[in-house]
Amino acid sequence: MVVRETCVAIWDVLHPAMMAQPQKEDWLQIADHFFQSCNFPNCVGAIDGKHIRVKKPIRSGSQFFNYKKYFSFVLFAVCDANYCFKYIDVGSYGSSSDLAVLRHSAFGQMLNNNELDLPGNTTLPGTTYLVMPFVFVGDEAFVLGEHLMRPYSSRGLSIARRVFNYRLTRARRVVECAFGILANKWRFLHSPIHLKLETAISAVKAACALHNFVRVRDGFNFEDSLSHSLESPNPSGVRGTIFFVITWGITLAFGSHLSLC
């Protein structure tokens, strides 16, 4: 009960401040950040879904059993270039595809109904013709749309299409990096969540809100996306230094006799 009430309180307090729906000026700022960091113009967000492993919910049948052969629900997210979540949808069946989750989410419905207050079409940087819409980028699981961009099929690509896929992937990987930062910060996401389904959903929503809070408070550092999550085998350098000093002393003391050992 304490966990559930705490997570609900965190979400209720932080959600309006950390995940407020962007306005037209906010979308333009997000697009500018994507162009600076990923070299992909007119991009206002990267979208993807992440499976959150849980124990089998009671009387759920195979609804939460996904193609990876474990039980989960889906965390669907829209992310900006600073690895902050602008929108999340938590709790869809693990057996659902990313496209199905998008279509049934409030964000997907607002996107289809043009209710997101996106900026009007504009020319791409360096061009004076062919005005283009602002788009969200996703992987091959999504369907191409006016405001949704996906990569070309990987077969028989021309050089121009290869370059396009490369740039789109640079923008799309932002949401995958955001999932990695989220899981490494809140380690309960690395293993199955042994809570009731409603409590597990509340915990994930609270973690996403806290993720944005930490990112805004600590600021954005591009090097975060380049670092790995593994600890250094010798973080302080002390063991290696001591080993080198001891070996060097033994060599001086015993000289050539050391090579006989």
Side-chain angles (χ1 to χ4, degrees):
M1 183 180 298
V2 172
V3 173
R4 182 178 68 254
E5 293 180 354
T6 302
C7 291
V8 170
I10 291 174
W11 173 254
D12 290 341
V13 172
L14 292 183
H15 174 252
M18 296 293 104
M19 293 187 191
Q21 182 173 341
Q23 303 301 317
K24 187 171 298 183
E25 295 76 13
D26 301 322
W27 291 124
L28 289 173
Q29 186 176 10
I30 292 173
D32 184 61
H33 289 167
F34 266 106
F35 185 62
Q36 292 179 4
S37 61
C38 304
N39 201 20
F40 196 93
N42 285 26
C43 178
V44 290
I47 64 175
D48 199 6
K50 174 180 173 59
H51 287 277
I52 305 298
R53 188 189 296 259
V54 294
K55 68 176 183 180
K56 183 181 182 299
I58 299 176
R59 294 185 295 274
S60 62
S62 60
Q63 291 176 325
F64 291 91
F65 193 71
N66 62 33
Y67 70 97
K68 297 182 179 181
K69 308 303 181 183
Y70 61 79
F71 292 94
S72 68
F73 59 81
V74 178
L75 163 60
F76 174 81
V78 180
C79 187
D80 64 14
N82 292 338
Y83 307 99
C84 289
F85 299 118
K86 309 309 295 182
Y87 174 85
I88 61 171
D89 181 88
V90 189
S92 297
Y93 297 139
S95 58
S96 302
S97 64
D98 289 344
L99 179 59
V101 175
L102 171 64
R103 286 176 173 174
H104 289 89
S105 65
F107 172 82
Q109 295 174 8
M110 288 189 295
L111 180 63
N112 290 333
N113 298 330
N114 293 323
E115 298 175 352
L116 292 176
D117 195 23
L118 294 176
N121 298 356
T122 182
T123 57
L124 300 180
T127 64
T128 57
Y129 59 94
L130 288 180
V131 292
M132 302 296 291
F134 287 83
V135 297
F136 297 90
V137 294
D139 57 18
E140 295 85 354
F142 299 98
V143 176
L144 183 67
E146 180 183 1
H147 297 290
L148 182 57
M149 191 70 67
R150 52 163 288 172
Y152 286 105
S153 176
S154 58
R155 296 182 179 180
L157 293 180
S158 63
I159 295 179
R161 292 189 175 188
R162 288 177 182 269
V163 172
F164 174 84
N165 279 2
Y166 167 72
R167 291 194 180 186
L168 186 143
T169 302
R170 286 185 62 183
R172 183 183 60 80
R173 60 132 184 120
V174 171
V175 66
E176 296 180 356
C177 292
F179 287 146
I181 296 171
L182 175 72
N184 286 330
K185 177 72 72 173
W186 315 106
R187 295 300 181 94
F188 74 96
L189 297 174
H190 279 304
S191 58
I193 303 176
H194 293 279
L195 296 171
K196 291 183 179 179
L197 182 62
E198 295 78 8
T199 306
I201 292 174
S202 297
V204 173
K205 293 168 65 176
C208 292
L210 288 171
H211 167 87
N212 280 12
F213 177 78
V214 172
R215 298 294 299 176
V216 172
R217 185 196 64 178
D218 293 346
F220 169 67
N221 183 6
F222 179 72
E223 294 180 355
D224 291 348
S225 64
L226 304 179
S227 60
H228 55 75
S229 59
L230 299 179
E231 295 182 357
S232 172
N234 183 24
S236 63
V238 176
R239 289 187 61 188
T241 303
I242 294 176
F243 179 79
F244 174 78
V245 172
I246 293 175
T247 305
W248 180 69
I250 293 175
T251 304
L252 290 180
F254 295 96
S256 60
H257 296 287
L258 184 64
S259 62
L260 300 177
C261 297

